[in-house]
């Protein structure tokens, strides 16, 4: 069973000194602090004294879970730090990585920080103090240079990180965005709206693929149809869809850059009685059972988690000593009906 991890955003945790704080005060790497705190070797006495002085000044206390580990005992736990577990995307990654780790006799400690850079740092520090064998991280947009010298292998999932050269397993977001746009253009659509969640790395690459498809087809994009949403939820997508569809020159097709946005698009279109072509990115429950099943660009999210866990286990065991790897999983277009509507269907109203 996965071990749940306390919410690092809880107020009581904010003021607690971390190993990151100690490393900054002592002017050393996180891995050096970890070795001093956990009684490891390979640290010069002068450096160790500086670390211990920083610990005393800050009042840092080591996580008691780490004390239970005997010196020299190898950890059989991996850590996975990711976003909101109520999101099916993250839940699928977690389940798949748990399965792979379990097959090799490893447990997985889960940390959910939901796009909070400071919360992520605190969570990672706590996990390092537990002497996990390796870290899998779906990174936020902050600087991850603090992980240099952490003393454990790190694999980033879904997005690359800044400030550190490490393994990354991700899907071909740019290729998926291109697939969606190419498909709609092939149906005869020239006015395609794209709804964008707040621009994390993945969404930016999907937009890049969308633009590339238009350039290849020689069709200019109406920039007013490139809609950057304030939030990446269904409610924001529903509002934006109403606005673009009620314009005098509405789009004949819509590309929703996430599955949450696709849900909002469909809700708004149902209320308006409009039927533009719709393509979503990432599949979602019941998408194939709607009156008009939803065409999506999909990738194997479970394989994302499995690949990351396999790579981390190989790194932790020493079986893989290659330079950092970049593994990109392909996307595929699943045609179901909503993305195959012709341009003249956009203004049609459903009979009731």
């Amino acid at each position: 069973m996965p071990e749940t991890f306390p919410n690092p955003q809880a107020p009581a945790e904010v003021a607690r000194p971390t190993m990151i704080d100690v490393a900054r005060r002592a002017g050393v790497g996180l891995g050096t602090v970890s070795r001093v705190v956990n009684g490891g070797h390979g640290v010069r006495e002068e450096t160790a004294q500086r670390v211990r002085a920083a610990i005393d000044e800050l009042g840092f206390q080591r996580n008691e879970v780490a004390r239970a580990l005997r010196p020299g005992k190898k950890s059989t736990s991996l850590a996975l730090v990711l976003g909101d577990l109520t999101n099916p995307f993250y839940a699928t990654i977690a389940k798949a990585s748990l399965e792979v780790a379990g097959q090799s006799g490893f447990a997985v400690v889960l940390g959910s920080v939901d796009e909070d850079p400071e919360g992520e740092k605190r969570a990672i520090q706590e996990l390092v103090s537990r002497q996990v064998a390796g870290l899998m991280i779906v990174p936020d947009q902050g600087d991850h240079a603090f992980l240099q010298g952490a003393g454990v292998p790190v694999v980033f999932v879904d997005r690359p990180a800044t400030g550190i050269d490490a393994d990354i397993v991700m899907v071909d977001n740019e290729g998926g965005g291109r697939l969606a746009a190419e498909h709609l253009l092939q149906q005869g659509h020239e006015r395609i709206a794209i709804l964008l969640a707040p621009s994390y790395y993945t969404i930016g690459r999907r937009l890049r693929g969308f633009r590339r498809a238009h350039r290849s087809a020689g069709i200019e994009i109406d920039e007013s149809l490139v809609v950057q949403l304030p939030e990446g939820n269904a409610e924001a997508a529903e509002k934006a869809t109403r606005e673009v569809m009620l314009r005098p020159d509405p789009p004949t097709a819509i590309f929703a850059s996430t599955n949450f946005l696709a849900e909002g698009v469909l809700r708004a279109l149902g209320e308006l009685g409009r039927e533009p072509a719709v393509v979503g990115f990432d599949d979602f429950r019941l998408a194939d059972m709607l009156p008009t099943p939803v065409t999506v660009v999909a990738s194997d999210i479970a394989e994302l988690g499995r690949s990351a866990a396999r790579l981390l286990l190989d790194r932790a065991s020493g079986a893989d000593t290659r330079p950092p790897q970049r593994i990109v999983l392909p996307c595929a277009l699943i045609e179901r009906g909503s993305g195959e509507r012709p341009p003249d269907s956009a203004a049609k109203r459903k009979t009731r």
Side-chain angles (χ1 to χ4, degrees), residues 135-344:
L135 294 164
M136 288 176 286
I137 304 171
V138 179
D140 58 54
Q141 299 185 90
D143 186 359
H144 289 79
F146 71 93
L147 279 168
Q148 295 282 4
V152 295
V154 180
V155 176
F156 290 102
V157 186
D158 187 46
R159 317 165 190 157
T162 58
I164 183 173
D165 188 18
D167 293 310
I168 169 71
V169 182
M170 58 196 302
V171 301
D172 184 6
N173 289 288
E174 184 172 340
R178 179 178 51 78
L179 276 176
E182 284 179 347
H183 182 69
L184 292 170
L185 290 166
Q186 288 166 4
Q187 309 305 310
H189 297 277
E190 296 189 1
R191 291 183 53 73
I192 306 171
I194 178 171
L195 303 190
L196 304 168
S199 190
Y200 298 115
Y201 174 91
T202 52
I203 303 302
R205 291 304 184 274
R206 292 169 195 178
L207 175 59
R208 180 182 292 184
F210 180 85
R211 291 188 181 281
R212 177 176 292 182
H214 280 77
R215 285 196 300 271
S216 296
I219 295 175
E220 186 174 350
I221 294 175
D222 179 347
E223 292 298 328
S224 69
L225 296 179
V226 178
V227 184
Q228 182 68 62
L229 303 178
E231 297 179 87
N233 55 39
E235 291 72 23
E238 184 177 356
K239 180 175 183 293
T241 301
R242 287 198 197 96
E243 290 174 354
V244 296
M245 292 306 300
L246 291 175
R247 288 171 40 163
D249 54 348
T252 63
I254 299 176
F255 173 36
S257 63
T258 75
N259 50 8
F260 284 144
L261 302 191
E263 293 177 17
V265 169
L266 295 173
R267 187 178 301 131
L269 294 177
E271 293 171 358
L272 294 171
R274 302 291 182 89
E275 295 186 337
V278 176
V279 174
F281 200 108
D282 287 334
D283 213 350
F284 58 96
R285 287 189 64 208
L286 306 181
D288 59 338
M289 299 182 67
L290 295 171
T292 301
V294 183
T295 296
V296 296
V297 173
S299 55
D300 191 340
I301 304 304
E303 183 56 29
L304 195 66
R306 287 192 292 265
S307 294
R310 286 193 292 260
L311 180 54
L312 186 59
L313 286 167
D314 286 345
R315 294 297 197 190
S317 69
D320 191 339
T321 59
R322 296 174 296 171
Q325 300 296 298
R326 185 184 183 90
I327 299 173
V328 181
L329 304 181
C331 293
L333 184 85
I334 303 176
E335 298 183 23
R336 292 189 178 128
S338 70
E340 292 67 59
R341 289 169 173 156
D344 62 3

Side-chain angles (χ1 to χ4, degrees), residues 78-126:
L78 303 177
L80 173 59
V81 181
L82 73 179
D84 183 2
L85 280 171
T86 62
N87 184 331
F89 177 83
Y90 293 125
T92 301
I93 290 175
K95 183 174 185 295
S97 60
L98 284 166
E99 290 173 354
V100 170
Q103 290 166 4
S104 296
F106 279 72
V108 176
V109 183
L110 297 178
S112 177
V113 294
D114 203 15
E115 314 297 353
D116 173 18
E118 289 306 314
E120 182 192 64
K121 285 185 180 181
R122 292 193 296 272
I124 290 171
Q125 182 275 326
E126 290 288 352

Side-chain angles (χ1 to χ4, degrees), residues 3 38 62-69 126 129-131:
E3 181 179 355
N38 294 303
R62 182 176 64 173
N63 189 294
E64 290 302 316
V65 176
R67 294 183 186 275
L69 287 174
E126 290 288 352
S129 77
R130 290 173 178 233
Q131 295 184 332

